[in-house]
Amino acid sequence: MIQVHDKQFDVFIDQETLEKRIAALAGQMNQDYQGQRPLLIAVLNGSFLFVAELMKNITIDCEITFIRVSSYEGTGTTGKVKQILGLSEEIKGRDVIIIEDIVDTGHTMAELLGQITAQKPRSIEIATMLHKPEATRIPVTLKYVGFAIENKFVLGYGLDYDGLGRNLPCIYQLAEV
Ligand code: 5GP
């Protein structure tokens, strides 16, 4: 059990389990994109460790770029999605994989998908480290999912709680009180 700000968290997915699964997702991408050169678009801040681990296990040619959107404060979703910042790459004709830390209500991903699709990529898929199916309000097709989890707040491995916890090497879940 650890304490971050005012809340207690328990280990939920250990580092070995997490990284084995991420390597398996990379393996799937190596097959699916053989002979292509996908562009990974990683959504900052939360996806930085996930995408780093993914990239280490991708053996085909690939490129990466980073974007930022912020829609989340504290432990509740605001439902408001802001603009995409930082996407300067040419998307037209590219095979794009959006890399997200967690899909919760689906609002962020639906918005991103709309905005990036408008730039006419050749193909577009989503990879997310975590998915909360019960929390989903806007269904989006998630081709690569690390773990489907219950609808509880998690942190670690890139995910924060009000700025803290991103450095934790595994996923923690809000403890029952
Ligand atoms: P959505 O738009 O799908 O509701 O929310 C997506 C964003 O909310 C994620 O990129 C993430 O930043 C944040 N988020 C959703 N659930 C959690 C959670 O359990 N823990 C943390 N740390 N962030 C979350």
Side-chain angles (χ1 to χ4, degrees), residues 33 36-41 61-65 87-98 116-117 119-125:
Y33 290 89
Q36 299 173 39
R37 185 158 44 102
L39 173 65
L40 276 59
I41 302 182
D61 284 351
C62 67
E63 293 176 35
I64 185 167
T65 190
L87 190 56
S88 51
E89 272 72 14
E90 173 80 34
I91 299 302
K92 198 168 176 214
R94 298 299 307 266
D95 294 300
V96 166
I97 312 174
I98 305 177
I116 298 174
T117 302
Q119 298 190 36
K120 304 216 173 353
R122 194 169 82 98
S123 68
I124 185 161
E125 299 291 356

Side-chain angles (χ1 to χ4, degrees), residues 6-146:
D6 57 333
K7 298 200 185 334
Q8 314 254 297
F9 293 86
D10 292 319
V11 173
F12 180 52
I13 305 171
D14 65 64
Q15 186 173 359
E16 195 189 342
T17 307
L18 195 54
E19 292 182 351
K20 262 194 193 151
R21 179 72 190 130
I22 297 171
L25 292 183
Q28 244 177 289
M29 289 176 185
N30 289 334
Q31 288 194 344
D32 295 347
Y33 290 89
Q34 216 166 25
Q36 299 173 39
R37 185 158 44 102
L39 173 65
L40 276 59
I41 302 182
V43 185
L44 290 173
N45 294 328
S47 72
F48 77 104
L49 286 183
F50 173 46
V51 80
E53 195 58 30
L54 203 54
M55 284 287 276
K56 285 195 277 177
N57 290 279
I58 294 179
T59 52
I60 56 166
D61 284 351
C62 67
E63 293 176 35
I64 185 167
T65 190
F66 297 89
I67 58 169
R68 184 183 280 273
V69 285
S70 94
S71 66
Y72 209 75
E73 280 156 21
T75 52
T77 294
T78 64
K80 283 183 205 138
V81 177
K82 295 173 193 160
Q83 241 184 322
I84 298 180
L85 300 174
L87 190 56
S88 51
E89 272 72 14
E90 173 80 34
I91 299 302
K92 198 168 176 214
R94 298 299 307 266
D95 294 300
V96 166
I97 312 174
I98 305 177
I99 313 290
E100 180 62 294
D101 52 0
I102 182 166
V103 175
D104 184 17
T105 63
H107 277 111
T108 310
M109 200 39 85
E111 183 78 29
L112 277 176
L113 205 54
Q115 291 191 33
I116 298 174
T117 302
Q119 298 190 36
K120 304 216 173 353
R122 194 169 82 98
S123 68
I124 185 161
E125 299 291 356
I126 298 165
T128 186
M129 178 169 69
L130 303 172
H131 178 216
K132 290 181 180 169
E134 292 161 25
T136 302
R137 296 287 168 271
I138 303 185
V140 280
T141 305
L142 305 172
K143 181 151 188 190
Y144 307 96
V145 176

Side-chain angles (χ1 to χ4, degrees), residues 146-158:
F147 297 88
I149 63 168
E150 56 189 316
N151 192 9
K152 281 193 193 166
F153 189 77
V154 289
L155 94 165
Y157 215 83

